[in-house]
Each structure stands twice: as structure tokens, then as C-alpha cells.
Amino acid sequence: MSGKAGGRLLAISDIHVAYPENREIVEKLRPRSDADWLIVAGDVGEVAADIEWALDLLKERFATVVWAPGNHELWTPKDDPVRLRGEARYRYLVEVCRRLGVLTPEDPYPVWTGPGGPVTIVPLFLLYDYTFRPPGTTKEEALAWAHDAGVVCTDEFLLHPDPYPSRDAWCRARLRETVVRLAERDPSLPTVLVNHFPLTREPTQILRYPQFAQWCGTVETADWHLKYNAAAVIYGHLHIPRTTWYDGVRFEEVSLGYPRERRMYDREGREPLREVFPEDAP
């Protein structure tokens, strides 16, 4: 699978369609041509039916849709009829995507051959392992710090790691599986790495609540943008949309985020889709 000449490679994340304002924005998303691809970097929603609705809508409109899961898709909310937890929930969503024709981290990596290509699009599912914490502290100390500050990610209550003993154990398993997959790609092509969580900890340094960083990634991926020859890295989760550069590689945080955040930070008129290729002008 490859992109058509003249199309755009677009990206968005954290669309959280349970919010009516966000659902309305998603309903209005349109490609400019039938050659446009869309990357969805996680946090589509929490309830399985909402996730399926949004991805189905987007797949009807865009030539190719590539999805990498966020933490919210992996929650098991009490009001979701789909009661699956952990790995079983993830695999269920992968099968939903396959039925819809949406690409996932479990599928062959597609190659974008439109503007900026050829590049291999690599959707990742890696989770986090609590290593984005203050130097010299243990996981237990960092979690206690977060609890004392009242800054605790909802994952601690709704994201179950079954059958793994912990979320960080699940993260380590995903890292091992993903390294094998990445070794099998065409090494002559650059990559666009797509992960819900930032691959490096630098983007978390501007968080309002530094305690939250421990739920934002793993130090094990700190050099992946170099190791895997990334032309760009796409991520979300932080709800701080911006472009940064690390080691000469472009990192795009592509969150739509919550309605209250858009109002608070005056982002109401911001274009929700980010152009990865052709690259947006700075």
C-alpha cells in the first residue's frame, strides 16, 4: 500500500469523541483529495462503539487511515458493554480496525510515496513504564509523589494490564515485540514513527503538573528517532500541540484535546489536522 502522488499525509490525535464539540469537529474533517492519508495517534474515545464510529467515519473519507492506540482506548469504563480488559481489549480493537480497513500496529507497515516519500509509516503501541520520573527516584516514590499532589492518571483505575502483572510489564513486552517488527522493515526507507506517547521525555518538561510525566512514555525509546531513521515522529497524549526538533528530527504533537483546553489556550480556530507531508510551513 502506498500513497498517490499529490496527496497529503495528515495527522491528528486525542479527538475524544465523547465530547459533543469534538464529535462535531470530527464529523467535519474532510480530505482535500482522494489521495490524502490520515494518521490517528490514539485517544479516539473510551467506549468501543465511539471508537468504531469515529474510525469508520474517517476511513470512509480518507484513502488510508493508520491508527495507533492511546491509553483511553484501553480503558474498561463501567458504561461500556465491551467488558474486555488489557491485551484482550487491544486485540478486540485491532479486529474492529481490520474490519473497517484501518491499519494498526499489528499490520504490515504501509509506505507513503506521496510528497516527502517514500517513507514507511510505523504505528506503535508501546505504553509507558513510569521511567519518566525524577532522577534517583523509584517507581513507588514517584507514584507516592503523584498521589500526594493529587495528580494521578485515571489509567491507574481503568487501564488494566491483563494478563500482564503491571502496565510497565505490558510496556516491556510491547517493546520486545516492536523491536522485532522494526528490524523486519525495509532499512533503506526513512520512517514516520507514530506513537500516542512521546518517544523522548523532553516534551514532558513543559507539563503543568510534572508528576504526570511518569504516565507519558519510556526512556527505552529515547533514541528510536535516530535508530530507525525517522523523517518525522507523530505523537499526542500531552494535549500540547506543537512542533519541536530533537537531533534534527521533527516531532509533531497533534492533539485536538478537550474543548476546555482549546478555549483556555485560544486554540478554537486552529486547524485540527496537521500536515506531516508536505511539511507545514513553520
Side-chain angles (χ1 to χ4, degrees):
M1 181 178 293
S2 61
K4 298 179 183 178
R8 297 179 301 160
L9 180 61
L10 303 162
I12 194 169
S13 75
D14 299 81
I15 57 179
H16 295 291
V17 297
Y19 289 87
E21 300 98 316
N22 284 20
R23 197 176 186 97
E24 183 177 348
I25 289 172
V26 171
E27 287 174 335
K28 293 178 179 178
L29 295 179
R30 294 287 193 286
R32 284 209 300 249
S33 81
D34 62 3
D36 286 355
W37 285 25
L38 180 63
I39 292 167
V40 182
D43 278 11
V44 173
E46 296 79 32
V47 175
D50 283 349
I51 298 165
E52 181 170 354
W53 170 83
L55 292 176
D56 187 30
L57 179 75
L58 295 171
K59 182 59 183 72
E60 287 178 358
R61 296 176 178 175
F62 291 85
T64 296
V65 174
V66 180
W67 169 76
N71 52 315
H72 282 233
E73 283 102 334
L74 302 174
W75 288 1
T76 306
K78 63 181 179 181
D79 57 346
D80 190 349
V82 177
R83 304 308 303 156
L84 298 171
R85 294 161 53 122
E87 176 79 12
R89 184 173 181 87
Y90 170 62
R91 296 293 170 177
Y92 171 85
L93 293 173
V94 166
E95 290 307 313
V96 167
C97 286
R98 287 176 170 168
R99 177 162 45 80
L100 299 176
V102 172
L103 299 177
T104 78
E106 307 309 312
D107 298 312
Y109 300 144
V111 175
W112 167 258
T113 58
V119 294
T120 302
I121 311 298
V122 180
L124 301 167
F125 169 39
L126 303 175
L127 280 170
Y128 50 82
D129 61 2
Y130 302 88
T131 52
F132 287 181
R133 60 179 184 258
T137 62
T138 65
K139 172 187 171 182
E140 292 71 25
E141 289 168 341
L143 283 171
W145 174 49
H147 279 274
D148 289 345
V151 180
V152 179
C153 184
T154 306
D155 292 4
E156 295 295 311
F157 312 102
L158 295 180
L159 200 167
H160 307 286
D162 314 23
Y164 299 94
S166 63
R167 282 168 286 277
D168 35 328
W170 193 4
C171 174
R172 289 190 292 271
R174 290 300 310 181
L175 287 165
R176 290 192 296 269
E177 293 175 28
T178 304
V179 166
V180 173
R181 289 285 313 281
L182 282 164
E184 296 169 349
R185 81 194 194 287
D186 182 349
S188 70
L189 295 182
T191 63
V192 172
L193 300 178
V194 180
N195 194 45
H196 179 66
F197 306 95
L199 294 182
T200 66
R201 70 185 302 166
E202 284 84 355
T204 69
Q205 292 172 354
I206 63 170
L207 288 173
R208 174 177 292 185
Y209 302 105
Q211 296 88 349
F212 189 73
Q214 60 194 296
W215 290 281
C216 293
T218 169
V219 297
E220 296 299 320
T221 59
D223 64 348
W224 279 27
H225 58 294
L226 299 176
K227 182 184 293 184
Y228 299 115
N229 190 23
V233 175
I234 309 301
Y235 70 101
H237 190 56
L238 304 185
H239 293 199
I240 307 173
R242 61 177 182 150
T243 303
T244 53
W245 295 79
Y246 305 110
D247 304 306
V249 178
R250 176 166 50 106
F251 282 62
E252 298 280 5
E253 209 281 9
V254 297
S255 297
L256 177 64
Y258 300 130
R260 67 178 182 274
E261 294 168 329
R262 294 196 299 278
R263 290 189 289 269
M264 182 185 303
Y265 298 109
D266 194 25
R267 297 175 187 156
E268 291 283 22
R270 180 181 176 274
E271 168 59 43
L273 295 178
R274 186 75 57 86
E275 286 193 6
V276 182
F277 295 120
E279 183 180 343
D280 275 341

